Amino acid sequence: MVHTVRIRTSDFHLETANRLSKEVKIDGDGEILYERHYCPQTAKRLRVSLTENKATQTRFLSIEGELPSLISNDPLYHLKDTDLNEVVSKIRVLLDEAGIDVDDNAIRDAQIKRVDFKSDIKVRDVPSRYIAVLQKCELGTINRHNTNADTVSFVCDDYEVSAYNKTRQMKDIHNTDVADNILRFEVRLKTQRVIERQFGHKNVTLASVFSQVMADEIIASYFDRIDTSAASGQNDHSFDDRIKTIVKALNEHNIVRNRGLTALAALYLPAFREMLGNSTRELVSLLCENGIYDKQQAKRDINTLKLIIKADAS
């Protein structure tokens, strides 16, 4: 679901008695380029700034923050479609405390300048095992950052795709022990260009990103681009497609229920791992039903997947 946003609006009124501090940008000739006003009082929950461009005689309000934290103290809370009104109300109250008057409709219609989507899945083993596999994968020519054993990120100017150990983060940052092994997937759209391309139109608003179905589809669309052939130890790039065929077949038979996540993540879901540990014959039969696989090809890929799991567990 949507998690962190940066939104912008020009539909606001600044009260005379406001709580904004001022920063001025001056060029080499001493001319004022722009003025930025920011609010230290809201910084823990929202980063609020007001920018005035003297040349164009325009000003706009920028608001950035993690939306779930506005309505819940639970770091694992995921927003629902129905949370939009409460989130908008919380933003309005914080702005009002800073001396900025913005109505609910202006917040709903504020333009998205950055947006992060996140999804958590529970996995059987420690999340670092799954991340170790993803750290061997590629996402086109995008730079991969293996920050540590608990994080992998694919980063370019327009967007970032990350997976990390949420269980470990809960312990390290929030000093909270979580019984489940939680692997978090995150897609961050960082520029206006990629946001408009993703949504197919300009002026994407806060209200328009409040959709669980849409968020899942966006997360899936990025993680499904990950090339797993490097992790398989093969130079056969069709291996990635065959993994996805297996996952699709298992999805259709309701064996894998976390539909839409990257093929590698689905590969390691408990039901799939248990089946791989039980009956190769049953899996071969399942994959050959739709006619995409012949028996030898199915056996070969299943055995390869077993080797990946064995290597990962060692």
Side-chain angles (χ1 to χ4, degrees):
M1 184 57 168
V2 62
H3 187 276
T4 302
V5 299
R6 181 169 66 250
I7 57 177
R8 189 172 79 174
T9 181
S10 58
D11 187 5
F12 66 93
H13 173 71
L14 187 62
E15 302 289 347
T16 303
N18 63 75
R19 305 176 70 180
L20 300 184
S21 299
K22 185 176 181 179
E23 177 185 65
V24 181
K25 178 73 172 179
I26 301 175
D27 66 13
D29 297 324
E31 295 290 330
I32 296 177
L33 295 177
Y34 68 82
E35 295 180 0
R36 185 179 76 92
H37 303 258
Y38 60 96
C39 185
Q41 288 80 9
T42 64
K44 288 186 177 180
R45 305 191 71 184
L46 287 177
R47 291 176 291 283
V48 178
S49 64
L50 188 158
T51 301
E52 296 186 62
N53 189 314
K54 296 296 185 180
T56 60
Q57 295 294 305
T58 58
R59 65 179 189 171
F60 56 84
L61 187 69
S62 179
I63 306 159
E64 182 172 357
E66 297 182 357
L67 302 183
S69 65
L70 295 178
I71 63 175
S72 175
N73 292 323
D74 180 3
L76 292 176
Y77 182 77
H78 280 253
L79 293 171
K80 304 181 292 294
D81 296 13
T82 54
D83 286 332
L84 174 60
N85 289 341
E86 186 175 359
V87 167
V88 168
S89 177
K90 294 290 187 181
I91 293 174
R92 175 176 46 76
V93 169
L94 286 170
L95 293 176
D96 184 62
E97 292 173 357
I100 305 171
D101 183 20
V102 186
D103 67 29
D104 287 2
N105 287 333
I107 296 171
R108 286 191 186 89
D109 294 338
Q111 186 178 22
I112 292 286
K113 307 299 287 186
R114 167 203 156 178
V115 58
D116 300 2
F117 298 100
K118 301 187 180 184
S119 179
D120 292 338
I121 62 169
K122 295 178 182 180
V123 290
R124 188 180 69 175
D125 295 327
V126 292
S128 57
R129 285 193 170 180
Y130 308 90
I131 291 168
V133 177
L134 289 170
Q135 287 180 338
K136 300 173 186 176
C137 297
E138 303 293 341
L139 183 57
T141 58
I142 296 174
N143 293 326
R144 184 186 68 226
H145 299 277
N146 299 339
T147 309
N148 51 48
D150 292 305
T151 306
V152 58
S153 299
F154 302 89
V155 182
C156 66
D157 291 341
D158 286 336
Y159 61 87
E160 296 180 21
V161 177
S162 303
Y164 56 92
N165 184 345
K166 186 61 180 178
T167 302
R168 173 64 61 82
Q169 186 191 67
M170 290 289 292
K171 185 175 182 64
D172 293 348
I173 297 179
H174 303 286
N175 197 29
T176 302
D177 289 320
V178 180
D180 298 312
N181 291 317
I182 300 174
L183 186 61
R184 171 163 286 187
F185 294 90
E186 176 181 316
V187 171
R188 175 178 297 175
L189 307 182
K190 302 187 293 184
T191 66
Q192 195 69 40
R193 174 176 57 187
V194 75
I195 291 170
E196 291 176 358
R197 185 170 67 231
Q198 178 66 58
F199 286 84
H201 59 84
K202 295 184 177 181
N203 297 320
V204 178
T205 66
L206 176 63
S208 66
V209 300
F210 259 77
S211 167
Q212 180 69 62
V213 171
M214 178 206 63
D216 288 345
E217 289 176 351
I218 289 174
I219 292 171
S221 70
Y222 280 88
F223 275 92
D224 282 347
R225 300 176 196 174
I226 291 177
D227 179 5
T228 60
S229 60
S232 73
Q234 300 185 15
N235 293 320
D236 178 8
H237 287 270
S238 66
F239 181 77
D240 183 49
D241 294 329
R242 295 203 299 275
I243 289 181
K244 291 176 182 178
T245 303
I246 292 174
V247 173
K248 181 179 179 182
L250 294 174
N251 270 325
E252 291 171 349
H253 287 74
N254 295 318
I255 296 169
V256 175
R257 301 184 186 278
N258 290 57
R259 189 169 192 145
L261 293 175
T262 178
L264 265 181
L267 163 64
Y268 285 96
L269 288 169
F272 196 3
R273 294 187 67 153
E274 289 168 9
M275 283 205 68
L276 283 173
N278 292 335
S279 172
T280 298
R281 180 178 298 176
E282 184 179 357
L283 268 176
V284 169
S285 175
L286 175 62
L287 295 175
C288 291
E289 280 182 14
N290 56 20
I292 298 175
Y293 271 79
D294 60 40
K295 186 174 292 186
Q296 292 303 314
Q297 193 178 40
K299 284 182 178 178
R300 185 166 57 248
D301 282 354
I302 290 167
N303 288 333
T304 303
L305 295 175
K306 285 185 175 182
L307 289 175
I308 294 174
I309 289 176
K310 184 177 179 181
D312 183 45
S314 61

